[in-house]
């Protein structure tokens, strides 16, 4: 044996979609330290890696390359490494790809870069210019400030600051790279809870104090104080000296949420989501890793942050589909939140007014504690829900029924507000040539082009391709022959303006709101009563609280899911219930009008009667009979590539090679709902297995033996939510 002995080897995982980990040489002491972050050479590059454990191979030491450990405090908690292993096993993603979710701010591991600054130096002699006087007055407090800050705060140009510094009147100093995060104060306000809330809060506090794994469904109608109640659990985590993670399905939702948190705890939580700059990421990541950020509110990716002292996870709106990540590592953050809590040995709280069937069943059979908040807080009552039968109440070419228009007039007359919900961007979902019946489709996707009339364009909602609205039909060349079919938010607005010319109307959709800031501005304006009627897509369906909003209208409740989606009823119910939940959240009672052509549908009936649990029980029965999740297991395989024939061949070959097994069926291949997206042809296979079957094992054996052409990409989706 050589002198570079086995003790100085370690297996290191790198954040790339490779199998791994790989063995490296490591300076003494690093070998057993799972989670230690290192710089490792890979090919010609050097990248970050993480010590995963003892070296596994028996390559001669002289053939191994050396990795360099970073500072001991720059490390991932070993529990996070366990989580990465677990997620990789479950999703079938390469471990390195899952690690990449963790190392999302690689420069967080670089040494701190102090910022150059100045403090007051020696008092200069003689007369000073007024600009220089201003600087000295500002700096008299002795605080260090950066040059741009001095210039801004003193109201002078940076050149003046520089000139003064050269005289010795300002001395160089340095500031920490980042402002520290404020510590939320669990006693910032005194909270008076209703008896139901108090019971739920006490239960959650006790779970946090116990400091072991437990799962809880916080199930309360919209406006019942679920947020208020789980804040008590966060307060307890703070009191116990542990960190807390609050997952939110969308950043748009955090706009009001952050202020709400600040009102309870005296400062905002740290944030984590895709709209952050690199620098903000680096700041938050370091603060989480160092234990300085005590509470993080974030989107699903926050689940992979390196909390050293995690004591509580909350998944708000747990049923929300935005928790599912569909690309790269395909996972559901709600489910993985439960897994992380189990690994960290801490409580997890799933909160919703419309729990997913999976979670509801887990609560029903006692696997999760079930905390119920059956009524709205304070004087607010649940809104009255009415169905409007469009078969009887609508005129051709109109999308607002008489009862809905009457309702809106009433709202305007009393100075209240209304929300109209339609999950269709643009003017009309389909544009048809009246001469030949041709439908304009995207050149990259097998999807219709959607007219956006304000901008005079046709847009593909899948790849973003757009063109000017053509004058002539591209098929028969008829001039101005296009007719819009069906409603979009713009068309509803047009109709509304014609019927209610004095109303102040705004549209909230991802077209009109480019950034969370725009969203915030619009919501604030609505909150101030500057808008009477807000027409919105799903981005306004949830979370928001507007005391003057007394009428919610659903333009078309029948826009359900596509064929083959076992969750389409459940989802319709959830989104319509959430929309309904916006109405009547304060003193004034609310009303909800749901326009539908299927008033007898179980979803509509459940909404009308408020019989949510009966609806879920029925859903459960239907799915049990079909062996659908959660009674059976599903995995979707999607093959996609630029060459349609190659994709179809690969899909056929894959299906033909599926091992025969008891309790497993493989369906397909079949063209995906959108057969071509972004120029890629797509074929799908669906694997259905009985509940007791290890579907991952089955897939590993099957897919491991397959050779798929490099131009075809295979995505495995365990527990698929999307059937497009
Ligand atoms: P949910 O999360 O269930 O929709 P929220 O926690 O948002 O409900 O509560 C709805 C509204 O009622 C909010 O404006 C909230 O501030 C208020 N509220 C709820 N519980 C209380 C309480 N105990 N004291 C004061 N206000 C409360
Ligand atoms: Zn397209």
């Amino acid at each position: 044996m050589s002198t570079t002995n086995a003790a100085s080897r370690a297996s290191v995982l790198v954040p790339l979609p490779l199998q791994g980990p790989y063995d490296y040489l490591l300076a003494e002491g690093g070998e057993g330290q799972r989670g230690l972050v290192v710089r490792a050479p890979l090919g010609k590059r050097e990248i970050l890696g993480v010590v995963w454990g003892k070296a596994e191979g028996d390559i001669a030491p002289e053939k191994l390359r050396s990795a360099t450990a970073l500072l001991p405090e720059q490390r991932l908690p070993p529990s996070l490494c366990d989580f990465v292993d677990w997620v990789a096993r479950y999703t079938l993603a390469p471990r390195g790809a899952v690690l990449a979710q963790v190392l999302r701010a690689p420069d967080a591991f670089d040494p701190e870069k102090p910022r150059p600054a100045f403090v007051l130096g020696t008092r200069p002699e003689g007369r000073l210019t007024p600009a220089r006087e201003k600087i000295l007055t500002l700096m008299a407090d002795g605080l260090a400030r950066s040059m741009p800050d001095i210039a801004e705060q003193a109201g002078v140009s940076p050149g003046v600051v520089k000139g003064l510094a050269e005289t010795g009147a300002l001395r160089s100093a340095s500031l920490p790279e980042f402002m520290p995060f404020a510590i939320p104060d669990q006693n910032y306000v005194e909270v008076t809870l209703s008896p139901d809330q108090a019971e739920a809060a006490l239960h959650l506090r006790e779970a946090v104090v116990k400091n072991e794994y437990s799962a809880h469904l916080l199930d309360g109608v919209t406006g019942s104080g679920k947020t208020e109640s789980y804040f008590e659990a966060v307060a307890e985590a703070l009191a116990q000296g542990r960190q807390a993670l609050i997952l939110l399905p969308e950043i748009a939702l955090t706009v009001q949420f952050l202020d709400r948190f600040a009102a309870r705890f005296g400062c905002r939580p740290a944030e984590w989501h895709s709209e952050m700059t690199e620098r903000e990421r680096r700041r938050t990541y370091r603060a989480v890793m160092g234990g300085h950020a005590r509470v993080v509110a974030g989107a699903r990716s926050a689940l992979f942050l390196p909390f050293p002292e995690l004591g509580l996870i909350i998944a708000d709106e747990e049923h929300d589909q935005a928790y599912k990540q569909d690309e790269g590592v395909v996972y559901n953050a709600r489910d993985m939140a439960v897994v992380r809590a189990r690994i960290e040995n801490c409580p997890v709280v799933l909160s919703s007014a419309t729990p997913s069937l999976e979670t509801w069943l887990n609560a029903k059979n006692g696997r999760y504690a079930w905390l119920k908040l059956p009524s709205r807080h304070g004087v607010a009552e649940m809104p009255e829900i009415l169905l409007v039968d469009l078969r009887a109440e609508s005129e051709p070419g109109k999308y607002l029924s008489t009862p809905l228009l009457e309702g809106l007039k009433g709202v305007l007359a009393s100075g209240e507000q209304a929300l109209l919900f339609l999950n269709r961007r643009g003017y009309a979902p389909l544009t048809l040539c009246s001469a030949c019946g041709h439908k304009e489709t995207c050149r990259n996707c097998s999807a219709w082009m959607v007219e956006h009339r304000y901008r005079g364009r046709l847009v593909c909602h899948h790849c973003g391709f757009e063109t000017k609205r053509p004058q002539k039909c591209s098929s028969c060349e008829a001039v101005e022959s296009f007719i819009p079919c069906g409603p979009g938010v713009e068309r509803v607005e047009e109709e509304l303006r014609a019927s209610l010319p004095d109303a102040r109307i705004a549209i909230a959709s991802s077209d009109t709101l480019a950034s969370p800031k725009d969203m915030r501005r619009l919501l604030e304006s609505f909150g101030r009563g500057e808008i009477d009627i807000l027409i919105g897509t799903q981005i306004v369906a949830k979370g928001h609280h507007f005391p003057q909003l007394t009428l919610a209208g659903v333009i078309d409740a029948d826009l359900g899911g596509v064929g083959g989606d076992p969750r389409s009823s459940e989802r319709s119910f959830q989104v319509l219930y959430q929309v309904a939940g916006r109405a009547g959240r304060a003193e004034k009672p609310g009303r909800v009008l749901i326009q539908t052509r299927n008033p007898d549908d179980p979803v509509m009936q459940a909404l009308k009667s408020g019989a949510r649990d009966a609806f879920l029980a029925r859903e459960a029965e239907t799915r049990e009979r079909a062996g659908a999740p959660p009674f059976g297991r599903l995995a979707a395989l999607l093959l996609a590539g630029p060459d349609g024939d190659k994709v179809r061949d690969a899909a056929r070959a894959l299906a033909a090679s599926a091992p025969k097994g008891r309790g497993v069926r493989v369906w397909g291949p079949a063209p995906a709902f959108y057969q071509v997206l972004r120029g890629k042809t797509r074929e799908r296979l669906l694997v259905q297995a009985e509940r007791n079957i290890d579907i991952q094992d089955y897939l590993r054996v099957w897919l491991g033996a397959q050779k798929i052409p490099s131009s075809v990409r295979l995505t495995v989706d365990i527990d698929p939510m999307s059937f497009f």
Side-chain angles (χ1 to χ4, degrees):
M1 282 217 89
S2 79
T3 46
T4 37
N5 55 35
S8 58
R9 292 166 170 232
S11 82
V12 171
L13 189 63
V14 292
L16 296 170
L18 306 166
Q19 282 311 332
Y22 303 107
D23 290 353
Y24 282 88
L25 288 179
L26 206 63
E28 254 171 86
E31 65 281 2
Q33 292 200 42
R34 187 163 161 88
L36 193 68
V37 179
V38 302
R39 286 191 198 288
L42 189 83
K44 285 185 183 144
R45 298 185 291 160
E46 192 181 64
I47 63 169
L48 281 185
V50 177
V51 172
W52 220 245
K54 292 215 173 70
E56 285 164 1
D58 48 10
I59 303 172
E62 54 277 14
K63 292 203 179 136
L64 286 178
R65 303 180 73 179
S66 295
T68 326
L70 304 185
L71 297 175
E73 63 270 24
Q74 289 175 324
R75 58 173 307 149
L76 306 179
S79 56
L80 182 53
C81 301
D82 297 347
F83 182 60
V84 168
D85 282 338
W86 205 101
V87 172
R89 234 185 347 258
Y90 190 84
T91 61
L92 269 80
R95 272 195 279 192
V98 183
L99 182 63
Q101 306 286 311
V102 171
L103 298 179
R104 285 284 284 276
D107 58 0
F109 296 95
D110 295 344
E112 174 109 0
K113 301 182 195 102
R115 282 179 301 150
F118 291 102
V119 289
L120 206 57
T122 48
R123 173 88 202 167
E125 291 168 13
R127 273 180 63 83
L128 289 174
T129 62
R132 288 188 168 188
E133 274 297 352
K134 278 195 218 158
I135 296 173
L136 293 180
T137 312
L138 172 75
M139 299 301 285
D141 60 10
L143 294 181
R145 289 181 180 82
S146 70
M147 168 119 62
D149 282 355
I150 297 174
E152 197 196 311
Q153 289 167 31
V156 302
S157 75
V160 180
V161 184
K162 197 157 169 256
L164 187 63
E166 277 160 9
T167 70
L170 296 177
R171 243 180 334 109
S172 298
S174 68
L175 282 168
E177 183 176 2
F178 296 112
M179 292 270 291
F181 280 90
I183 307 284
D185 174 3
Q186 79 254 23
N187 298 318
Y188 183 72
V189 289
E190 197 165 322
V191 189
T192 318
L193 298 172
S194 72
D196 286 333
Q197 291 174 349
E199 197 181 316
L202 180 68
H203 173 95
L204 293 177
R205 276 183 178 270
E206 283 172 356
V208 172
V209 171
K210 259 197 195 153
N211 195 23
E212 59 185 38
Y213 168 76
S214 55
H216 313 261
L217 168 60
L218 185 54
D219 175 7
V221 298
T222 48
S224 59
K226 296 185 292 298
T227 313
E228 215 65 45
S229 303
Y230 73 62
F231 275 173
E232 295 306 294
V234 173
E236 189 61 54
L238 288 166
Q240 300 289 324
R242 294 194 206 101
Q243 292 169 294
L245 167 63
I246 305 173
L247 293 172
L248 302 167
E250 264 158 285
I251 37 147
L253 209 130
T254 65
V255 171
Q256 278 191 337
F257 180 85
L258 299 174
D259 294 340
R260 177 97 190 265
F261 184 94
R264 171 64 182 82
F265 294 102
C267 65
R268 286 183 161 201
E271 293 173 52
W272 188 262
H273 51 73
S274 57
E275 302 280 327
M276 292 163 72
T277 63
E278 293 276 315
R279 198 181 133 76
E280 288 167 334
R281 255 171 214 280
R282 173 170 146 86
R283 173 175 180 238
T284 301
Y285 198 95
R286 290 176 74 91
V288 171
M289 183 162 62
H292 311 302
R294 304 308 295 172
V295 181
V296 176
R300 58 184 183 230
S301 56
L303 197 55
F304 290 95
L305 284 171
F307 296 93
E309 302 170 304
L310 191 59
L312 173 68
I313 305 177
I314 289 161
D316 201 349
E317 310 285 2
E318 68 87 25
H319 62 276
D320 201 296
Q321 238 185 300
Y323 280 127
K324 181 83 187 209
Q325 171 154 310
D326 280 324
E327 274 163 21
V329 181
V330 179
Y331 68 94
N332 185 323
R334 186 266 323 275
D335 296 337
M336 294 307 116
V338 176
V339 171
R340 181 136 194 215
R342 217 158 43 200
I343 290 174
E344 300 285 348
N345 209 18
C346 75
V348 57
V349 182
L350 309 181
S351 177
S352 177
T354 51
S356 62
L357 188 68
E358 282 82 351
T359 299
W360 184 79
L361 284 169
N362 279 330
K364 220 165 125 69
N365 65 28
R367 268 207 273 173
Y368 296 173
W370 197 349
L371 313 172
K372 297 178 190 177
L373 302 177
S375 54
R376 281 193 162 174
H377 175 72
V379 294
E381 295 281 332
M382 286 307 283
E384 178 190 12
I385 297 183
L386 300 167
L387 302 178
V388 178
D389 186 346
L390 284 179
R391 293 169 307 185
E393 304 274 7
S394 73
E395 283 175 52
K398 297 266 189 243
Y399 297 98
L400 300 166
S401 64
T402 313
L404 185 51
L405 266 177
E406 290 307 313
L408 291 169
K409 283 179 192 157
V411 161
L412 292 174
S414 55
E416 294 164 4
Q417 291 176 305
L419 173 72
L420 294 181
F421 172 75
L422 176 64
N423 214 4
R424 284 276 189 273
R425 290 152 54 203
Y427 187 80
L430 168 63
T431 304
L432 199 70
C433 168
S434 57
C436 74
H438 173 73
K439 306 175 186 106
E440 291 294 326
T441 54
C442 174
R443 65 171 186 196
N444 308 319
C445 307
S446 49
W448 298 331
M449 295 294 278
V450 176
E451 181 182 359
H452 286 238
R453 192 161 283 191
Y454 295 141
R455 290 166 48 218
R457 304 190 66 86
L458 297 181
V459 181
C460 172
H461 284 179
H462 298 278
C463 71
F465 171 70
E466 44 174 276
T467 58
K468 248 182 79 172
R469 185 177 186 275
Q471 304 275 301
K472 281 194 270 183
C473 170
S474 60
S475 175
C476 73
E477 310 221 319
V479 178
E480 286 302 336
S481 63
F482 290 118
I483 45 169
C485 299
V489 284
E490 292 180 0
R491 195 172 194 181
V492 169
E493 186 190 19
E494 183 183 88
E495 191 180 328
L496 210 50
R497 284 197 194 282
S499 307
L500 305 169
D502 297 330
R504 294 166 301 168
I505 303 166
I507 293 181
S509 80
S510 52
D511 299 303
T512 57
L513 306 172
S515 71
K517 238 189 228 133
D518 294 339
M519 175 85 179
R520 187 185 186 116
R521 219 171 290 140
L522 181 75
L523 293 179
E524 281 172 358
S525 166
F526 191 56
R528 285 192 300 266
E530 295 162 3
I531 298 163
D532 301 313
I533 303 174
L534 187 63
I535 307 170
T537 57
Q538 64 186 7
I539 62 174
V540 297
K542 50 204 164 188
H544 311 293
H545 181 71
F546 300 107
Q548 294 299 319
L549 204 172
T550 55
L551 177 68
V554 175
I555 301 295
D556 187 344
D558 306 325
L559 299 171
V562 292
D565 182 350
R567 292 187 182 82
S568 59
S569 296
E570 178 189 333
R571 252 187 230 151
S572 285
F573 181 84
Q574 285 162 348
V575 68
L576 297 176
Y577 184 93
Q578 292 289 343
V579 173
R582 295 313 106 216
R585 289 174 60 102
E587 290 82 29
K588 298 180 179 165
R591 258 200 323 151
V592 182
L593 292 175
I594 298 180
Q595 303 192 134
T596 172
R597 289 176 190 282
N598 301 292
D600 298 326
D601 186 277
V603 173
M604 302 308 150
Q605 287 301 319
L607 284 163
K608 181 170 181 236
S609 60
R612 187 201 74 185
D613 284 22
F615 168 74
L616 285 172
R618 230 183 102 138
E619 263 302 290
E621 261 172 48
T622 313
R623 284 206 223 160
E624 185 159 22
R625 244 179 288 126
F631 300 98
R633 315 199 53 201
L634 278 186
L637 307 184
L638 181 73
L639 293 105
D643 180 338
D645 286 335
K646 273 204 181 132
V647 173
R648 281 182 286 270
D649 286 346
R652 266 195 299 272
L654 192 60
S657 69
K660 301 267 176 296
R662 275 177 75 89
V664 186
R665 293 188 69 170
V666 177
W667 307 89
F673 184 84
Y674 293 107
Q675 199 168 348
V676 182
L677 271 192
R678 297 184 185 88
K680 304 244 164 67
T681 299
R682 305 154 79 240
E683 288 276 319
R684 295 174 57 89
L685 285 89
L686 197 62
V687 184
Q688 187 178 18
E690 286 169 15
R691 182 141 66 164
N692 57 357
I693 298 227
D694 186 339
I695 200 169
Q696 282 88 356
D697 229 31
Y698 176 85
L699 290 168
R700 248 187 298 273
V701 170
W702 174 18
L703 303 177
Q706 280 301 300
K707 264 220 149 25
I708 291 165
S710 59
S711 68
V712 178
R713 200 186 161 91
L714 169 66
T715 309
V716 179
D717 182 353
I718 304 284
D719 312 326
M721 303 282 279
S722 162
F723 291 78
F724 290 99

